[in-house]
Amino acid sequence: MNEKQQQAILMMAEGKAYQEIAEALDVTPKTISQWRTDPAFRAELNQHLHDIKAYHSEKLRQLQGQALKTIEDCLNDPEIPAKDRLAAAFKTLELGKIDVSEPGSTDASQLKLENDFNLKRDRALAGGRQLSTR
């Protein structure tokens, strides 16, 4: 990865748009799009996303005890309005159901295999559609 690609990965991980990244790096949005299709680039981006997720998961894990104690105190404090206690209770239930999706593979060779498979599948499907319309 060159320096601009590394910077693009960091900016993508922050959720920046292709146009914004392209302007910041003085490249075209098409260049950003091409980088994004490269398995090695995608693997590096996915690794960065895995690292971010792991860091945030650990931070959240460290705060869970304190957060639960705060919610418990709120739920049990008669001085806090019932609507606020109810909101805390619903939020607790809602957060208990969260299922965060995993970033993609960090293995460039695996991503290339997936790309090749998807291309073959898409070509086969396109060929089938052409046959069925004749």
Side-chain angles (χ1 to χ4, degrees), residues 36-97:
R36 188 70 171 89
T37 63
D38 175 36
F41 183 92
R42 286 186 20 232
E44 184 99 10
L45 173 60
N46 290 341
Q47 181 62 56
H48 189 68
L49 293 172
H50 278 287
D51 293 346
I52 289 170
K53 182 179 178 189
Y55 172 79
H56 288 151
S57 292
E58 179 58 24
K59 290 293 275 184
L60 285 171
R61 190 191 65 72
Q62 291 173 6
L63 292 171
Q64 282 178 345
Q66 181 181 349
L68 287 172
K69 176 70 172 121
T70 300
I71 291 169
E72 182 180 5
D73 291 347
C74 176
L75 290 171
N76 294 324
D77 186 345
E79 299 293 318
I80 294 177
K83 69 178 177 86
D84 293 337
R85 292 194 321 264
L86 185 60
F90 278 123
K91 193 61 169 179
T92 302
L93 294 172
E94 176 187 330
L95 291 174
K97 295 183 202 176

Side-chain angles (χ1 to χ4, degrees), residues 6-7 40 42 65 90 98 102 125 129 133:
Q6 289 290 339
Q7 290 175 342
R42 286 186 20 232
F90 278 123
I98 290 179
E102 291 291 324
L125 290 173
R129 280 195 298 272
T133 59

